[in-house]
Amino acid sequence: MIELKNVSKFYKTVKAVNDVSFNVEEGQTVILLGTSGCGKTTTLRMVNRLVEPTEGTIFVNGKNIQAQQEQELRRGIGYVLQHTGLFPHYTIAENIAIVPRLMQWNEQKITERTRELLEKLQLDPDKYFHLYPDQLSGGQQQRIGLARALAANPPVLLMDEPFGALDPVTRAGIRKEFMNLDELKRKTILMVTHDVQEAFEMADIICLMDKGNLVQMGKPTELLFNPANDFVKNFFSDQRFLLGLQSITLNDVWHNLKEAPANEKAYAVDPASNLLEVLEMLSSNNSSITNYVAQNGKGSKSVTLPVILSAFSAYKTMEGHG
Amino acid sequence: MDERQQSLWSFMWQQHDKLLDQTLAHIGLTFTSLLLSVIIGIPLGIWIARKRQWSSWVLGIAGVLQTIPSIALLGFMIPLLGIGAKPAIVALMLYAFLPIIRNTFTGIIQVNSSVVDAAKGMGMSPSQILFKVELPLALPVILAGIRTATVINVGVATLAAYIAAGGLGEFIFGGIALNNSNMILAGAIPAALLAIVFDFALSKVQNIQFKKRRSGIVAIPLILILFSSFYLLPSALGSSMLAGFTPEFMGRSDGYLGLKDKYGLKIRTVVISDAVMYKAAFEKQLDVISGYSTDGRLKAFNLVVLKDDKTIFPPYYAAPVVRHEVLMKYPEVAATLNRLSGLINDSIMTELNYRVDYLKQTPEVVATNFLASKNLLQPSRNGNKATIRMGSKIFGEQYILLHMYSLLLKGYTDFNVETKTGLGGTKICFDALLNNQIDLYPEYTGTGLLVILNPKKEEVDKIIGSKEQVYDFVKNEFKKRYQLDWLQPIGFNNAYALMMRKTQAEEKHITTISDLARVIDEGK
């Protein structure tokens, strides 16, 4: 869906982005991760031609973006910014309708679409339709920013630190909400963040960048357990344990768990939950029931603290060598 | 206080036609210039917001324009655009540039960059970004600039009266020249009110909500254009010839009022400053001007004085005024100074003034050369019998006279001479003489009569037509009241005069003011 081929961007002698190539498949979420100044935002902005590459070619939807009229190209790509970039002189409804209006949809269709999006984002259309952005909280503004990007149903979405301006609590909440949004699940997304936690939660594929170079690209667990070099290893060293627990689900370690004995009183655990969630659940229990059972199509397994920890370390060893 | 308000109201009521014309012209001037400034300034502001490297240049130049004193800026415009509305509008427009360009620039660059980035990223074209995002968001700042410019322009537009562009300055400067406070207030109060009203109205526009402002954006240019058109209304009808008179001349009974009464002169008039009047006549911007009959610029600009055949202008013959005590003690002073009597007529004095004012020769050189040509130049005797102290007012003609007296006294007597030039105006010279700080200074009969003696109107009317009677009257009264003697008149009459270009006057066979009045009547 998005394809970068040997893309570079030089500012005079500085190589902001150096020979970067990757693909984002349809429906995938790819996250450009790195410290500030690593070239991740420049890479993102080259996709909708806010920055023109010095070398290389970029394809969106199979078409070379240089061959397209830049405004046409941008109208077909949703764009979410860190500081929302909402127009302060437009109402919420007008903000959401910007791209549909540019594409000359009829007014009725625009109104319907606007209301639909507000409802999906759990903002009461009757209440918010005519408000101005400065009357909304930061989290609400960020949701309107997303609604605006989604309004014209673009197949591709670019997100530049979409939660960067929010406080940690709001950030986690909005992130969850976004991830659960059906409309977003179908999109091909290229997103920039410097937040490792966020990248692990949201990414199908992470591209770790440093000094304009693409250092490693792969699934979160690949980067964590099979780092390409010391830079990658060090990048996650602070949070390695937590990230590890977080990126592995019960399903991933299913064969290392023990069969559950038949027992009447047991909590059911979702086999898709990650190990961190399971540990949190185990440690916060204060009722008399101490049995936990996960069940999927292959059978039911009992979930206890020692079993989870040994399954985790077995998985790590296997990944690291495989 | 009460009486004064009464008379201010009655003055304004009497003059309401003129007041209305002036107010409309004032509004017209202010808004025409503002409109032009907006039309040029806003795009310029947008341009420098795009090309930042030019911003310091453009803002710098606009800033320098603003620092030029307004009257000087108007002066600069005259060689380029002549007199009247054109130079005034251009000058006012230049004044309004700085706040308008700067605020447009500031307004646009302070628009949140992530908003512009979002607009771009969503696929808006550069012109859509400008008109839908940048300008609406910059509008409060731009409006503040327009508001500042409006208030500045209402104020500066009063000066337009100096270059014949009309406006409330006509009353203000006329009032100052005539020491008529009602006239000053009749111009100043409406001008202040205009500033307050426009400022208030624009502050209201500035505070309108985003939504409604969209229609406001359309309304503003329309209002500007409407107000601008006011300027075109008054300058209707009138004679083919145009006269430019100083504010003072316009209001005096021995000036424009007398011309209307006694000659029935019906000429289209504009008010203009003395400083630019002669040049404007020369450049055919004006046909008739009010001036002084011995002014050097008469010659410089090839103008002729029209004969005052019905004698409405009082005579201003120059003669030395001397303390009687000095003449008693040293009678030879009178005899020596009287050698000059009858030697200098109007055209000779004009020529001498021309050399000083225009050819920039020093008064000493001009005085020396003139005396030499009349065989009156004697080498100085370096005498020290006594010191004669002489004073003069602060302009070229008086300096020349004083140097002549000085040369004569040194050459023909044994007196030593001390000169105090530049004693300001009449009042200062006269007081110095009375208080025995100087012994003599050159004075004009008309000034002696109207400024110093200031007799009753009936008395003035009786004698004003005859130069001899005026001279006799001031001579006798000065002697009686102040123990001051008028010596014999030098010969020239530096009075008010109407002037025309020599070529035009000859072509139309005009030599007197009556001729002028007739030609204008026939022309209609």
Side-chain angles (χ1 to χ4, degrees):
Chain A
M1 205 64 179
I2 304 174
E3 187 180 3
L4 278 75
K5 276 190 179 164
N6 309 101
V7 173
S8 299
K9 177 67 189 178
F10 305 149
Y11 292 105
K12 288 179 184 160
T13 57
V14 183
K15 295 182 173 179
V17 174
N18 188 20
D19 195 19
V20 166
S21 304
F22 64 82
N23 281 344
V24 184
E25 305 298 339
E26 189 167 348
Q28 244 184 1
T29 299
V30 171
I31 289 188
L32 296 166
L33 179 66
T35 50
S36 31
C38 71
K40 58 189 192 298
T41 298
T42 310
T43 307
L44 181 90
R45 287 164 69 87
M46 282 192 282
V47 175
N48 65 358
R49 293 185 62 187
L50 288 174
V51 174
E52 295 289 354
T54 315
E55 288 170 4
T57 42
I58 300 174
F59 298 88
V60 172
N61 226 346
K63 280 186 276 184
N64 186 341
I65 59 168
Q66 292 298 330
Q68 297 173 57
Q69 209 264 336
E70 52 182 344
Q71 277 124 36
E72 289 292 324
L73 170 78
R74 288 172 189 155
R75 286 172 201 176
I77 300 176
Y79 186 41
V80 184
L81 294 86
Q82 177 175 2
H83 297 284
T84 75
L86 294 177
F87 293 1
H89 58 307
Y90 277 28
T91 61
I92 299 308
E94 287 170 323
N95 263 292
I96 295 174
I98 290 171
V99 182
R101 286 227 165 83
L102 289 175
M103 295 170 91
Q104 291 166 345
W105 287 16
N106 72 50
E107 281 303 314
Q108 195 195 341
K109 194 174 162 197
I110 291 175
T111 314
E112 279 167 14
R113 177 66 176 146
T114 309
R115 297 186 72 95
E116 180 192 354
L117 279 166
L118 283 172
E119 271 161 17
K120 279 186 180 170
L121 289 159
Q122 281 144 46
L123 296 166
D124 177 8
D126 295 319
K127 186 175 165 201
Y128 289 96
F129 217 68
H130 296 294
L131 293 184
Y132 285 90
D134 61 3
Q135 294 168 292
L136 268 55
S137 71
Q140 288 169 330
Q141 289 184 17
Q142 202 51 261
R143 280 184 237 172
I144 304 302
L146 180 68
R148 185 175 65 177
L150 293 174
N153 281 318
V156 175
L157 219 53
L158 302 178
M159 303 211 242
D160 187 1
E161 302 259 12
F163 314 107
L166 303 174
D167 64 87
V169 178
T170 317
R171 192 190 308 182
I174 300 262
R175 201 155 63 204
K176 280 256 152 54
E177 206 177 290
F178 276 28
M179 285 163 65
N180 291 329
L181 204 63
D182 275 342
E183 218 168 294
L184 215 53
K185 284 180 185 161
R186 298 195 298 269
K187 302 290 179 195
T188 304
I189 298 173
L190 182 61
M191 175 173 143
V192 160
T193 186
H194 64 270
D195 184 328
V196 177
Q197 186 76 32
E198 190 168 290
F200 272 73
E201 243 177 73
M202 298 183 72
D204 295 317
I205 301 288
I206 291 177
C207 294
L208 183 64
M209 292 187 70
D210 181 43
K211 296 180 187 132
N213 296 300
L214 180 53
V215 185
Q216 189 176 0
M217 176 172 180
K219 283 195 259 174
T221 47
E222 268 176 61
L223 267 72
L224 194 63
F225 301 123
N226 203 359
N229 57 23
D230 282 351
F231 174 80
V232 182
K233 202 177 192 173
N234 294 333
F235 196 84
F236 302 112
S237 62
D238 285 353
Q239 308 171 57
R240 177 174 302 281
F241 182 63
L242 278 183
L243 291 171
L245 289 172
Q246 211 176 349
S247 51
I248 302 168
T249 63
L250 285 178
N251 283 331
D252 292 332
V253 292
W254 196 256
H255 60 280
N256 283 330
L257 301 178
K258 289 174 184 163
E259 289 295 333
N263 195 321
E264 282 175 24
K265 287 193 174 179
Y267 274 113
V269 181
D270 181 1
S273 3
N274 67 48
L275 300 187
L276 185 64
E277 285 166 341
V278 174
L279 289 180
E280 272 168 1
M281 194 190 289
L282 292 177
S283 63
S284 67
N285 173 46
N286 48 13
S287 78
S288 57
I289 302 164
T290 52
N291 295 325
Y292 292 82
V293 172
Q295 207 165 8
N296 66 9
K298 297 180 223 162
S300 43
K301 301 259 179 162
S302 81
V303 178
T304 61
L305 199 60
V307 167
I308 296 293
L309 289 178
S310 70
F312 175 59
S313 67
Y315 182 91
K316 256 197 326 193
T317 324
M318 196 187 76
E319 278 288 310
H321 296 284
Chain B
M1 199 60 205
D2 220 10
E3 271 169 41
R4 168 166 229 179
Q5 278 170 355
Q6 283 284 325
S7 58
L8 172 62
W9 283 120
S10 59
F11 180 87
M12 285 169 90
W13 179 243
Q14 263 172 23
Q15 305 275 346
H16 70 272
D17 279 351
K18 242 182 176 178
L19 189 62
L20 187 67
D21 279 359
Q22 290 185 9
T23 309
L24 289 181
H26 205 93
I27 295 173
L29 275 177
T30 306
F31 282 92
T32 310
S33 54
L34 202 63
L35 182 66
L36 290 173
S37 200
V38 165
I39 290 173
I40 298 170
I42 290 183
L44 207 54
I46 294 168
W47 183 70
I48 58 172
R50 297 271 181 274
K51 312 260 178 207
R52 296 286 171 85
Q53 69 269 30
W54 289 99
S55 64
S56 54
W57 279 98
V58 172
L59 292 175
I61 291 167
V64 167
L65 287 175
Q66 189 100 42
T67 62
I68 300 172
S70 5
I71 192 77
L73 189 59
L74 289 169
F76 286 143
M77 291 298 140
I78 292 170
L80 303 173
L81 297 166
I83 58 164
K86 249 189 289 170
I89 287 170
V90 172
L92 287 172
M93 174 189 85
L94 295 178
Y95 264 104
F97 267 162
L98 183 65
I100 290 175
I101 298 174
R102 191 183 47 203
N103 284 36
T104 306
F105 172 71
T106 317
I108 285 179
I109 64 168
Q110 57 128 53
V111 170
N112 192 329
S113 62
S114 72
V115 172
V116 178
D117 203 40
K120 218 170 154 189
M122 282 186 294
M124 286 184 141
S125 67
S127 69
Q128 284 169 331
I129 294 174
L130 179 66
F131 288 107
K132 294 192 168 172
V133 181
E134 288 175 306
L135 282 181
L137 290 176
L139 199 65
V141 185
I142 296 175
L143 279 174
I146 294 177
R147 197 174 147 195
T148 311
T150 309
V151 175
I152 292 175
N153 272 11
V154 170
V156 178
T158 53
L159 294 174
Y162 273 139
I163 56 168
L168 289 161
E170 288 190 6
F171 269 157
I172 296 175
F173 296 112
I176 291 171
L178 297 167
N179 197 19
N180 178 342
S181 25
N182 284 332
M183 194 187 261
I184 299 175
L185 291 175
I189 292 173
L193 284 177
L194 284 183
I196 293 168
V197 167
F198 292 141
D199 190 49
F200 179 75
L202 283 167
S203 78
K204 286 284 155 205
V205 177
Q206 225 178 323
N207 292 332
I208 295 175
Q209 279 296 315
F210 282 125
K211 272 287 188 185
K212 298 173 190 161
R213 209 179 266 147
R214 285 177 205 169
S215 49
I217 295 172
V218 185
I220 290 170
L222 291 180
I223 291 169
L224 284 181
I225 291 166
L226 177 72
F227 279 146
S228 304
S229 64
F230 283 9
Y231 195 68
L232 303 173
L233 296 178
S235 61
L237 52 99
S239 61
S240 54
M241 287 175 115
L242 181 65
F245 296 146
T246 60
E248 182 180 3
F249 188 84
M250 286 297 284
R252 287 180 70 133
S253 59
D254 57 344
Y256 178 60
L257 302 179
L259 286 176
K260 278 201 293 193
D261 279 359
K262 292 209 179 155
Y263 286 99
L265 189 67
K266 296 188 207 82
I267 192 164
R268 202 150 53 91
T269 60
V270 291
V271 173
I272 189 167
S273 141
D274 162 77
V276 295
M277 187 169 66
Y278 293 87
K279 189 127 193 275
F282 174 70
E283 284 167 353
K284 303 189 181 172
Q285 313 263 349
L286 297 172
D287 299 301
V288 180
I289 59 172
S290 65
Y292 295 98
S293 51
T294 60
D295 196 298
R297 288 172 292 191
L298 257 175
K299 182 173 162 68
F301 294 121
N302 202 17
L303 306 174
V304 288
V305 171
L306 302 185
K307 195 165 181 299
D308 177 20
D309 51 335
K310 292 183 183 167
T311 55
I312 63 160
F313 302 133
Y316 282 75
Y317 283 88
V321 180
V322 193
R323 292 196 304 120
H324 187 64
E325 198 187 335
V326 174
L327 289 184
M328 288 289 94
K329 218 159 145 192
Y330 312 117
E332 61 267 47
V333 169
T336 310
L337 297 186
N338 281 338
R339 281 174 187 273
L340 210 53
S341 165
L343 287 185
I344 304 180
N345 61 18
D346 289 5
S347 59
I348 293 173
M349 195 65 235
T350 305
E351 166 76 27
L352 300 179
N353 283 334
Y354 168 71
R355 287 186 193 171
V356 173
D357 294 341
Y358 258 82
L359 303 182
K360 302 298 170 199
Q361 296 176 0
T362 63
E364 288 95 324
V365 171
V366 174
T368 310
N369 289 346
F370 175 76
L371 290 183
S373 74
K374 297 287 174 190
N375 288 321
L376 288 172
L377 190 65
Q378 298 284 334
S380 169
R381 296 195 198 172
N382 292 322
N384 55 3
K385 183 176 169 190
T387 299
I388 304 293
R389 301 159 304 168
M390 303 190 294
S392 83
K393 301 181 198 178
I394 188 162
F395 53 91
E397 183 169 292
Q398 293 247 325
Y399 294 169
I400 299 170
L401 293 177
L402 212 63
H403 283 292
M404 288 184 184
Y405 292 150
S406 169
L407 289 168
L408 288 172
L409 286 172
K410 283 178 185 166
Y412 287 93
T413 69
D414 291 322
F415 294 117
N416 189 16
V417 176
E418 191 184 306
T419 56
K420 292 180 179 172
T421 54
L423 289 181
T426 304
K427 182 92 177 99
I428 298 171
C429 280
F430 182 72
D431 286 348
L433 194 62
L434 271 188
N435 296 327
N436 194 12
Q437 285 163 325
I438 55 174
D439 297 317
L440 67 93
Y441 78 94
E443 187 52 282
Y444 305 90
T445 52
T447 312
L449 179 72
L450 298 171
V451 177
I452 296 169
L453 297 174
N454 200 11
K456 289 205 182 71
K457 191 174 179 302
E458 305 85 70
E459 256 179 298
V460 173
D461 286 347
K462 229 172 1 186
I463 58 169
I464 200 82
S466 153
K467 64 175 186 178
E468 289 82 9
Q469 282 181 26
V470 171
Y471 177 77
D472 289 342
F473 184 84
V474 293
K475 189 177 162 79
N476 293 333
E477 288 295 317
F478 266 61
K479 183 80 156 287
K480 211 158 61 190
R481 289 198 214 171
Y482 310 117
Q483 280 74 56
L484 297 176
D485 281 316
W486 284 74
L487 301 187
Q488 289 171 23
I490 301 164
F492 66 89
N493 177 14
N494 186 2
Y496 266 141
L498 285 197
M499 305 170 186
M500 295 180 67
R501 283 184 301 284
K502 194 179 255 169
T503 46
Q504 191 185 27
E506 279 166 6
E507 188 185 303
K508 301 203 170 187
H509 307 290
I510 298 172
T511 54
T512 65
I513 299 177
S514 298
D515 292 344
L516 176 68
R518 204 186 56 243
V519 168
I520 288 171
D521 279 344
E522 283 164 2
K524 270 196 175 169

